[in-house]
Amino acid sequence: MRIDCKHVWQYISAYIDGDVDAALRADIDKHLETCEICSAVLDSTRNVVILVADDRVFELPAGFSERLHSRIDRELESAESP
Amino acid sequence: MKDANPEFEAECIRRILGGEKDLFHELIRPCERGIYFLLLSLLKNETEAEDAAQETVIKVYLNLKNFRGDSQFRTWVLSIARNEGLGRLRRQTNRREDSLEAETDDQNGDFTPAILTSWREIPTEALEKKELAAILRAGIESLPEIYRNIIFLRDIEEMDIRETAAALGISEGAVKVRLHRARAMLQRRLAPQLKGFAPKRKGWFGGRA
């Protein structure tokens, strides 16, 4: 089936997650072969998804873990077993 | 999601309840980032999010005997974190209670992507530049809350659809719809700003001069 650009955009997120069925994937792949706009939209979206997943984008505040675990220690000392 | 290990968790919980309390440190460690960033996305304040994260962890400890094992441990922990965050939002006097869940999926928004004719991939090595990470953070922080939460859990903490749905108390279908919209909004906002971070020629380091 021939599908248009807007149709492809609807499924870009699902396509990236591998959450489209084989027939739809084939239709999208076919469209991507000849549509440089949709290819660029897909590639840029996937690129953004990969970049934001990197631990360097959102880091825990300095000392977060140490403060959390000393709080846990205080609780373990004072409280009875759960 | 990173390194969920149900057998390790079940064994840990059994031993903690049996008196080996110190094992709680190891049990909670893999959940720390998820707890903090879920709370940060709700509360939008680092100090408040850290305080709420500590409260969450103590509540997890005190309620450990109530964990049924019919969901993943981490999902259960994140639902406690979410309740802690929502409770704090309700207590904030300058925020109307009914606005908490008022943002709905049928709100109008423009989910059309930024139209590009080509894209040169930006490698993760480019994140050595602090400016790139700052642009990505600003893009995510500018999203409406319901979309920001989804990006935090699904794309930053890399939880699966089912776990994301359980942690946020919404259906898997709603997760997919919001994720699609959130990613489209991010691409639209970020792609034009990110273009300049693509390697100029072959090779990222050294080969650029």
Side-chain angles (χ1 to χ4, degrees), chain A:
Chain A
M1 190 182 79
R2 268 191 106 68
I3 52 177
D4 62 18
C5 295
K6 284 193 173 165
H7 197 94
V8 171
W9 298 344
Q10 281 300 313
Y11 290 99
I12 278 190
S13 176
Y15 182 93
I16 288 173
D17 286 345
D19 192 20
V20 291
D21 64 40
L24 179 57
R25 175 167 289 274
D27 287 341
I28 293 173
D29 285 340
K30 193 160 187 179
H31 180 95
L32 291 172
E33 279 172 20
T34 55
C35 181
E36 60 184 18
I37 290 175
C38 286
S39 295
V41 169
L42 172 68
D43 289 346
S44 57
T45 306
R46 183 161 30 209
N47 203 172
V48 166
V49 169
I50 289 168
L51 289 172
V52 301
D54 195 284
D55 284 353
R56 283 169 288 191
V57 176
F58 282 95
E59 294 175 331
L60 286 170
F64 173 87
S65 209
E66 290 76 8
R67 290 189 293 275
L68 178 66
H69 286 273
S70 25
R71 173 81 193 272
I72 293 171
D73 275 330
R74 288 201 300 279
E75 185 69 23
L76 296 186
E77 280 164 27
S78 64
E80 61 270 40
S81 290

Side-chain angles (χ1 to χ4, degrees), chain A residues 5-19 35-82, chain B residues 2 16-17 19 21-22 24-25 28-29 32-33 36-37 46 50 53-55 57-58 61-62 64-65 112-125 127-128 132-133 136-137 140-141 151-152 154-156 158 161 176 179-180 183 186-187 190-191 194:
Chain A
C5 295
K6 284 193 173 165
H7 197 94
V8 171
W9 298 344
Q10 281 300 313
Y11 290 99
I12 278 190
S13 176
Y15 182 93
I16 288 173
D17 286 345
D19 192 20
C35 181
E36 60 184 18
I37 290 175
C38 286
S39 295
V41 169
L42 172 68
D43 289 346
S44 57
T45 306
R46 183 161 30 209
N47 203 172
V48 166
V49 169
I50 289 168
L51 289 172
V52 301
D54 195 284
D55 284 353
R56 283 169 288 191
V57 176
F58 282 95
E59 294 175 331
L60 286 170
F64 173 87
S65 209
E66 290 76 8
R67 290 189 293 275
L68 178 66
H69 286 273
S70 25
R71 173 81 193 272
I72 293 171
D73 275 330
R74 288 201 300 279
E75 185 69 23
L76 296 186
E77 280 164 27
S78 64
E80 61 270 40
S81 290
Chain B
K2 288 151 192 169
I16 294 164
L17 294 175
K21 297 194 289 187
D22 282 340
F24 185 69
H25 289 288
I28 206 68
R29 217 177 285 280
E32 283 174 25
R33 270 183 64 93
Y36 177 75
F37 288 119
E46 289 194 1
E50 176 163 348
Q54 292 191 2
E55 285 308 314
V57 167
I58 300 306
Y61 176 70
L62 294 174
L64 203 54
K65 62 178 179 300
T112 309
I115 305 300
L116 311 161
T117 51
S118 67
W119 182 259
R120 272 183 304 143
E121 191 186 337
I122 301 163
T124 53
E125 288 77 29
L127 284 164
E128 294 300 329
L132 174 56
L136 292 166
R137 276 197 297 276
I140 291 163
E141 283 160 4
I151 292 289
F152 265 105
R154 182 77 181 90
D155 284 342
I156 295 174
E158 299 178 307
I161 300 275
K176 291 181 187 181
L179 184 62
H180 163 69
R183 286 172 170 173
L186 274 185
Q187 187 271 358
L190 292 175
L194 294 183

Side-chain angles (χ1 to χ4, degrees), chain B residues 138-158:
Chain B
I140 291 163
E141 283 160 4
S142 73
L143 291 174
E145 185 167 321
I146 61 170
Y147 300 122
R148 194 173 58 243
N149 289 343
I150 289 283
I151 292 289
F152 265 105
L153 296 183
R154 182 77 181 90
D155 284 342
I156 295 174
E157 276 304 299
E158 299 178 307

Side-chain angles (χ1 to χ4, degrees), chain B residues 65-81:
Chain B
K65 62 178 179 300
N66 299 323
F67 174 62
R68 295 273 170 257
D70 47 11
S71 65
Q72 286 187 37
F73 175 67
R74 191 184 146 97
T75 306
W76 182 68
V77 168
L78 290 176
S79 66
I80 292 173

Side-chain angles (χ1 to χ4, degrees), chain B residues 41-98:
Chain B
S41 83
L42 285 169
L43 300 168
K44 292 182 234 166
N45 174 298
E46 289 194 1
T47 310
E48 178 88 1
E50 176 163 348
D51 191 60
Q54 292 191 2
E55 285 308 314
T56 297
V57 167
I58 300 306
K59 283 180 182 169
V60 168
Y61 176 70
L62 294 174
N63 288 288
L64 203 54
K65 62 178 179 300
N66 299 323
F67 174 62
R68 295 273 170 257
D70 47 11
S71 65
Q72 286 187 37
F73 175 67
R74 191 184 146 97
T75 306
W76 182 68
V77 168
L78 290 176
S79 66
I80 292 173
R82 179 170 170 271
N83 283 336
E84 176 70 24
L86 291 177
R88 283 169 185 250
L89 286 178
R90 280 191 201 98
R91 289 196 294 274
Q92 285 173 6
T93 49
N94 58 356
R95 181 153 179 161
R96 293 199 339 273
E97 190 167 332
D98 63 359

